[in-house]
Amino acid sequence: MPQPSRLVWRSDLGWSSYSPAADADPKQGLVIHYDSADQNLANKSHSACIDYWNATRDYHVNSNGWVDIGYSFLACAHGYVIEGRGPFKQQAAQRGANDTHYSATLALGPNDPIPDEQVRAVRELRAWLMEPDTSISGDVYGHRDFNSTSCPGDAAYRMVRDGTFTKNPGDDIPDDGGGGGGGGGGDAPDWPGTYLSQPPVEHSAACETWQDRMRERGWVDSDGRELTVDGWYGPESERVCSLFQSQKGLAVDGIVGPNTWDATWEAPVT
Ligand SMILES: [Zn+2]
Ligand SMILES: [Zn+2]
């Protein structure tokens, strides 16, 4: 996947080409953010997004005292990806994961719409960051997966959970029915909030739930026998997880995170 079709570099904004932030190599995915206040940028011209981005940087540097704007990127309502700290930089965006995950804000509030162009911008950004140079995992998260926050808002978080952002840029975009209210997307039980991985081999109720569903989907162990449902996430679970991820076009890491969890219930059984 080439770079996003509408990419604005920080140097295009008159900022220094490279952020003064510390170097990092975030590999574990992309975290979606929003603004806690409605911005109505979808109904304004794109120049309002540039103004927003400059003002955000100003605030982060001069009021927060940060070395630079907090986020890696902005994916705007007009389909542009605008560089913040950019690639290979530590962020001030999601506490505990500023060196491990990239961040993209949608610059919208709880009642702002999320236009299709904006969804496509996130997809293009993700696909670009998955290229060999940066080679991040294709997993997409919401800020609330890491910290206690409303971010990125219920509407965007539904899209995080139902896999809207992890599709190819050209794929259809389901109607989300706008912001506010609404029940969680699809039929998957809520992601338990913990990653199933090994080693060490650990026992959890979430693992048992996942194994049971995988068994129900017809997965078998390496001896061809019905999958053991014992709640222990070991090599056998990891093997099946990787095969499933590969079959469903997910990032193959053998770890059950939110995207794999949801796909376990929502992806068609093939
Ligand atoms: Zn956030
Ligand atoms: Zn814009």
Side-chain angles (χ1 to χ4, degrees):
M1 192 68 204
Q3 66 185 45
S5 49
R6 298 176 200 173
L7 178 62
V8 180
W9 296 104
R10 51 186 286 130
S11 55
D12 298 329
L13 307 176
W15 304 4
S16 60
S17 297
Y18 294 98
S19 171
D23 291 338
D25 190 6
K27 282 259 191 280
Q28 296 178 26
L30 180 64
V31 184
I32 303 299
H33 295 262
Y34 81 156
D35 193 302
S36 49
D38 289 337
Q39 299 297 326
N40 198 30
L41 290 169
N43 297 312
K44 296 178 184 168
S45 74
H46 177 63
S47 65
C49 300
I50 300 294
D51 291 345
Y52 173 92
W53 205 224
N54 278 307
T56 302
R57 177 173 176 248
D58 210 52
Y59 186 81
H60 286 175
V61 172
N62 295 316
S63 296
N64 293 358
W66 297 346
V67 67
D68 197 357
I69 194 167
Y71 304 110
S72 309
F73 299 97
L74 161 62
C76 89
H78 310 93
Y80 288 83
V81 171
I82 310 175
E83 191 182 25
R85 294 194 182 190
F88 300 114
K89 288 292 179 182
Q90 183 188 72
Q91 306 125 76
Q94 55 276 326
R95 205 172 54 256
N98 285 316
D99 291 293
T100 52
H101 297 68
Y102 281 105
S103 53
T105 182
L106 305 179
L108 48 80
N111 303 302
D112 281 326
I114 306 175
D116 287 358
E117 291 74 18
Q118 190 160 28
V119 172
R120 238 170 254 122
V122 173
R123 290 176 175 179
E124 289 184 2
L125 172 62
R126 168 183 175 270
W128 178 45
L129 292 174
M130 288 172 72
E131 290 217 306
D133 271 0
T134 30
S135 64
I136 73 163
S137 139
D139 290 335
V140 175
Y141 304 89
H143 186 183
R144 64 175 71 169
D145 290 328
F146 296 89
N147 305 137
S148 175
T149 171
S150 63
C151 185
D154 290 344
Y157 192 61
R158 266 203 303 281
M159 290 180 166
V160 167
R161 295 293 307 276
D162 70 12
T164 296
F165 292 128
T166 55
K167 295 194 164 64
N168 292 319
D171 287 354
D172 280 352
I173 297 165
D175 283 338
D176 80 312
D187 299 314
D190 280 350
W191 184 57
T194 47
Y195 294 80
L196 303 177
S197 67
Q198 68 96 36
V201 179
E202 286 177 328
H203 184 271
S204 66
C207 175
E208 194 165 333
T209 303
W210 180 80
Q211 288 170 332
D212 189 48
R213 175 59 182 158
M214 290 298 278
R215 182 195 51 75
E216 191 178 287
R217 293 184 71 110
W219 288 87
V220 293
D221 67 20
S222 44
D223 297 325
R225 288 187 301 240
E226 187 172 80
L227 213 59
T228 307
V229 180
D230 59 5
W232 290 94
Y233 196 87
E236 207 38 69
S237 292
E238 182 187 80
R239 186 188 64 86
V240 167
C241 172
S242 297
L243 288 171
F244 173 73
Q245 289 173 327
S246 158
Q247 187 192 88
K248 298 305 174 198
L250 298 159
V252 179
D253 58 8
I255 298 170
V256 182
N259 297 327
T260 300
W261 177 272
D262 285 353
T264 302
W265 277 267
E266 291 161 11
V269 176
T270 49

